[in-house]
Amino acid sequence: LDFFFSDESSYILDDKEYVLKYKTELRGAVLRAKASPQGLLKGYDVYIAAHVQPTARMLSSIFRSAGGNVSSSLNVNIG
């Protein structure tokens, strides 16, 4: 099976409430996201607890796809 993604630009909502609240249009947000793939969490370290839903493996994949660094352990110095 061949899967493809259609161009989302013709499906972007024109949301007046969003524009009023955030002072920007959704089209601009989509274009900024496309200009910087994996930029949402770039530079952030993410720690995932052991017993979460969706699974830690799935969350790890999601966070990495957004540019985050997934750490397997939290080194904390107490004292």
Side-chain angles (χ1 to χ4, degrees):
L1 292 173
D2 289 329
F3 292 100
F4 66 94
F5 294 98
S6 65
D7 182 24
E8 71 280 348
S9 62
S10 59
Y11 300 101
I12 297 174
L13 298 175
D14 182 19
D15 187 342
K16 306 267 188 248
E17 289 182 30
Y18 180 91
V19 172
L20 288 172
K21 184 174 182 178
Y22 297 106
K23 310 288 190 262
T24 189
E25 294 184 6
L26 289 171
R27 181 173 304 284
V30 169
L31 292 174
R32 285 191 304 276
K34 285 179 80 168
S36 180
Q38 295 186 336
L40 182 63
L41 295 176
K42 186 174 184 177
Y44 286 92
D45 293 322
V46 179
Y47 301 91
I48 303 171
H51 302 286
V52 293
Q53 288 298 323
T55 65
R57 183 176 182 180
M58 184 178 290
L59 286 174
S60 177
S61 178
I62 292 168
F63 291 138
R64 284 193 183 105
S65 72
N69 302 313
V70 178
S71 297
S72 59
S73 64
L74 181 62
N75 296 327
V76 178
N77 294 326
I78 299 175

